[in-house]
Amino acid sequence: MDVLRRNNVTVTGVEDGPVVVLAHGFGCDQNMWRLIVPALTTRYRVVLFDYVGSGGSDLSAWSEERYSSLHGYAQDVTDVCEALDLRRAVFVGHSVSAMVGVLAAQAAPERIGALVMVAPSPCYIDGDGYRGGFSAEDIDELLASLESNYLGWSSAMAPVIMGNPDRPQLGQELTNSFCATDPDIARVFARTTFLSDSRQDLSSVEVPTLVLECAQDVIAPREVGAFVQASIPASRLVTLDATGHCPQLSAPEATATAILDFLGDLQ
């Protein structure tokens, strides 16, 4: 029960149905899934949670040492799975959480039976014939701006990350989510996210995997989706007719449909 409170765990949907775990990305919380949860709960047991340091989690449980590595976030996932005694759950991870799911599946393979990677990126920095979307200098500037003025950075960057300038309410929602995060915690999470390189971990994935990319995404360009799919033998790539890095908000119906189609094939 301590883990369930610590990570603000919510369980909904069909009580004895197959389990789907939804994991949010940087600067967000479980509320980011609200538009696709109703489509899932008619057939599945849905588990939502907040990483320690995010949303309604217990902030007193956060430590810089643990959460300076993606393995710290993966431990949150395995802790939640163990607390609920989940077996062969489908883990749906958005953005950096897609890579967290890869690490969690490595650490507790009996707990995670399939992966859905929504707008994933194993490495944000270009190099060695790989296009992550950013130069090392870009990332350094991004992190320096975030660390010097987090609220200003959030107001400027959230609409860019969200895309869809014709729907400014989406960018405002992401801005509000970023601004609700403690700046010191956000600084650590940002460095952990944008400086991570999980490319070598992709080849370890042996479970069925769906890679969901957006047609236009400034954070995870199309080359990244192709790289992830090519690196995971048991994976399929679906390109959503969506713009921005958060299709669960900007294109919830298409996102839910793609996930449900994948889940149906697993049955």
Side-chain angles (χ1 to χ4, degrees):
M1 291 302 296
D2 287 342
V3 169
L4 302 186
R5 286 193 296 269
R6 183 194 74 185
N7 288 95
N8 191 31
V9 175
T10 303
V11 182
T12 186
V14 180
E15 185 173 347
D16 58 351
V19 179
V20 178
V21 179
L22 302 176
H24 64 82
F26 166 78
C28 301
D29 60 22
Q30 62 186 266
N31 190 54
M32 289 289 164
W33 296 108
R34 70 186 185 281
L35 298 181
I36 72 168
V37 166
L40 298 175
T41 52
T42 58
R43 283 178 264 176
Y44 300 94
R45 184 184 181 201
V46 177
V47 176
L48 302 107
F49 71 97
D50 297 329
Y51 289 114
V52 171
S54 302
S57 68
D58 181 358
L59 299 186
S60 69
W62 184 85
S63 74
E64 183 169 353
E65 180 180 6
R66 173 165 170 163
Y67 295 102
S68 292
S69 165
L70 292 185
H71 290 279
Y73 296 93
Q75 185 65 57
D76 275 17
V77 173
T78 58
D79 286 350
V80 169
C81 289
E82 289 171 6
L84 295 172
D85 194 24
L86 303 184
R87 303 280 175 173
R88 309 295 293 172
V90 178
F91 180 87
V92 181
H94 172 234
S95 192
V96 67
S97 276
M99 299 306 129
V100 171
V102 169
L103 298 178
Q106 286 179 356
E110 73 282 3
R111 302 291 182 186
I112 297 175
L115 296 172
V116 177
M117 310 172 85
V118 181
S121 179
C123 180
Y124 295 89
I125 300 174
D126 301 336
D128 301 326
Y130 169 82
R131 180 169 185 249
F134 299 87
S135 68
E137 292 76 16
D138 291 335
I139 294 297
D140 287 344
E141 290 177 8
L142 180 152
L143 293 173
S145 175
L146 181 152
E147 292 172 5
S148 66
N149 182 3
Y150 178 64
L151 296 182
W153 178 89
S154 298
S155 297
M157 283 300 298
V160 175
I161 293 169
M162 178 61 72
N164 297 276
D166 57 323
R167 292 188 283 170
Q169 70 275 14
L170 294 177
Q172 187 59 54
E173 176 171 346
L174 192 60
T175 299
N176 294 342
S177 180
F178 282 4
C179 291
T181 305
D182 180 280
D184 290 332
I185 292 175
R187 171 182 57 81
V188 174
F189 198 176
R191 295 190 71 84
T192 303
T193 297
F194 290 108
L195 296 178
S196 65
D197 186 348
S198 303
R199 286 176 289 177
Q200 297 302 315
D201 294 302
L202 295 175
S203 61
S204 72
V205 177
E206 297 180 346
V207 297
T209 301
L210 172 65
V211 181
L212 278 183
E213 66 175 5
C214 294
Q216 298 180 37
D217 183 349
V218 298
I219 299 297
R222 296 281 296 275
E223 292 91 338
V224 174
F227 178 89
V228 172
Q229 191 278 322
S231 300
I232 300 176
S235 68
R236 73 174 72 162
L237 175 64
V238 172
T239 303
L240 299 171
D241 184 15
T243 300
H245 193 57
C246 303
Q248 70 271 50
L249 289 178
S250 63
E253 291 183 4
T255 303
T257 296
I259 293 173
L260 286 169
D261 287 347
F262 176 70
L263 294 175
D265 290 343
L266 295 176
Q267 304 304 311

